[in-house]
């Protein structure tokens, strides 16, 4: 048991919600918070290739933000108390890995339904919209994402070859107003994320020009 006066540790994770109602379908907490989170922002701006100098300062939308992290999974502690965790004894980390992997699969029911429609002579089948995935890293960072990279390294196994230690690498792209219709629920979540950034930026005071080594801006 941890020291009773220690702060409660928040865990990063993913929440799967209905894209129309935001009803929660599943929440997945990372067993251990990653040691690092890599973020990259690519500017969306007018290129000015047409020769219009006015384009140099124009932004065409929010930047393309990508996130990368490595998460570790370890069943060792649960295997030390097998009576409390019979599924772990029987299956190892398979359930935890499957919960993450199925985020990038269409459901088997959808695949079967699409095949039935194709066999019935339907000319074109529009893919069904998948549930919306939210990446949660504290209350300040809740963003709609699409998983773009996924790799798993299984590092240890039990006697039945169930993985009991693994590392998952996730790459995600934040879905912004350029990716979703304006009235999409995911777009509302993204705008709240951006507005929070603006509020945080407003807490940083402006430094004096002298601290930058200048006294004014030449006109």
């Amino acid at each position: 048991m941890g020291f009773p006066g220690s702060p409660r540790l928040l865990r990063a994770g993913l929440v799967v919600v209905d894209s129309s109602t935001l009803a929660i379908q599943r929440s997945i907490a990372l067993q251990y918070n990653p040691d690092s989170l890599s973020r990259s922002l690519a500017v969306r701006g007018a290129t000015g290739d047409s020769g219009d100098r006015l384009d140099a300062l124009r932004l065409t939308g929010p930047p393309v933000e990508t996130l990368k992290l490595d998460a570790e999974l370890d069943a060792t502690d649960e295997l030390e108390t097998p009576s409390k965790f019979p599924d772990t004894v029987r299956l190892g980390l398979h359930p935890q890995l499957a919960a993450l992997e199925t985020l990038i699969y269409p459901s088997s029911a959808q695949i079967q339904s699409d095949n039935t429609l194709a066999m019935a002579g339907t000319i074109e089948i529009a893919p069904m919209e998948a549930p919306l995935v939210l990446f949660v890293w504290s209350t300040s960072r809740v963003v709609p994402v699409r998983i773009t990279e996924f790799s798993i390294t299984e590092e240890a196994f039990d006697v039945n070859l169930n993985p009991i230690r693994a590392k998952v690498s996730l790459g995600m792209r934040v879905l912004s107003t350029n990716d979703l219709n304006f009235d999409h629920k995911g777009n509302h979540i993204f705008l709240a994320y951006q507005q929070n950034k603006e509020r945080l930026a407003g807490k940083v005071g402006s430094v004096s020009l002298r601290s930058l080594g200048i006294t004014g801006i030449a006109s």
Side-chain angles (χ1 to χ4, degrees), residues 62-212:
V64 178
E65 182 174 3
T66 54
L67 310 169
K68 291 186 179 182
L69 60 84
D70 293 328
E72 295 183 358
L73 303 176
D74 195 329
T76 303
D77 290 344
E78 293 184 0
L79 291 174
E80 291 179 352
T81 52
S83 60
K84 292 183 179 180
F85 303 99
D87 283 345
T88 304
V89 175
R90 187 166 58 91
L91 300 170
L93 291 173
H94 278 305
Q96 292 88 334
L97 293 174
L100 291 169
E101 289 178 60
T102 51
L103 293 176
I104 56 175
Y105 278 77
S107 70
S108 56
Q110 178 185 336
I111 294 172
Q112 292 171 337
S113 174
D114 289 349
N115 181 66
T116 299
L117 290 172
M119 295 293 290
T122 303
I123 297 176
E124 183 176 356
I125 302 171
M128 294 177 61
E129 184 171 293
L132 182 64
V133 178
L134 307 177
F135 175 63
V136 180
W137 188 290
S138 83
T139 57
S140 297
R141 189 173 292 149
V142 179
V143 288
V145 297
R146 166 171 284 187
I147 296 175
T148 56
E149 299 177 43
F150 194 121
S151 65
I152 301 169
T153 303
E154 298 177 359
E155 299 177 328
F157 304 87
D158 64 15
V159 294
N160 296 313
L161 291 183
N162 294 314
I164 57 174
R165 192 170 67 245
K167 179 179 291 183
V168 175
S169 295
L170 280 179
M172 296 167 283
R173 169 176 165 153
V174 175
L175 299 177
S176 71
T177 53
N178 278 60
D179 305 300
L180 302 168
N181 292 330
F182 194 80
D183 59 351
H184 193 284
K185 296 292 187 182
N187 187 49
H188 299 168
I189 296 173
F190 174 80
L191 285 175
Y193 169 64
Q194 180 174 339
Q195 289 163 354
N196 186 56
K197 281 181 182 287
E198 293 165 352
R199 285 191 294 270
L200 292 172
K203 295 182 179 296
V204 180
S206 181
V207 301
S208 69
L209 293 181
R210 289 186 180 278
S211 68
L212 303 178

